[in-house]
Amino acid sequence: MTIEKTLQENELTLTLRGRLDTTNAPLLEAELKHSIAGIQTLVFDFAGIEYISSAGLRVLLAAQKVMNKQGSMILRNVNEAVNEVFEITGFCDILTIE
């Protein structure tokens, strides 16, 4: 998985490509720990994400908890397969998906 960061004032966009799974979730988790302090809006661009596992879901849930305290979190460009995982797990009720 690759992560591309774009920072504009207090908004951080993370463009992800590949698979968000057990192997790659720690990479995203580490990036978030170093990048979201002081961020008011966290945007994930999922256009390049083809698969998400429970490890990826855990990282998103942890990020959502942090962002609930300091701003908002948005997921954009979620494909049908990943969106189905969000629906089955109930994450579509927790996350803001555009």
Side-chain angles (χ1 to χ4, degrees):
M1 181 181 70
T2 61
I3 302 170
E4 180 183 317
K5 295 185 339 184
T6 306
L7 181 61
Q8 294 180 337
E9 296 183 18
N10 293 327
E11 179 176 300
L12 175 64
T13 300
L14 297 177
T15 302
L16 309 177
R17 289 184 183 83
R19 296 170 57 90
L20 183 47
D21 57 19
T22 305
T23 305
N24 299 317
L27 175 68
L28 179 58
E29 187 173 34
E31 182 62 51
L32 288 168
K33 285 182 181 179
H34 291 102
S35 300
I36 63 173
I39 296 298
Q40 293 177 351
T41 305
L42 177 60
V43 178
F44 287 98
D45 185 339
F46 264 46
I49 290 293
E50 55 201 43
Y51 171 82
I52 187 167
S53 73
S54 59
L57 293 173
R58 181 184 56 76
V59 173
L60 291 179
L61 183 59
Q64 183 66 66
K65 287 181 180 181
V66 171
M67 293 311 298
N68 283 343
K69 295 175 185 171
Q70 67 188 51
S72 62
M73 185 173 106
I74 303 165
L75 277 68
R76 293 191 176 131
N77 304 314
V78 177
N79 72 30
E80 191 176 315
V82 173
N83 197 52
E84 187 175 333
V85 172
F86 291 149
E87 289 177 4
I88 290 169
T89 58
F91 272 60
C92 59
D93 297 328
I94 299 168
L95 304 173
T96 301
I97 303 171
E98 295 181 346

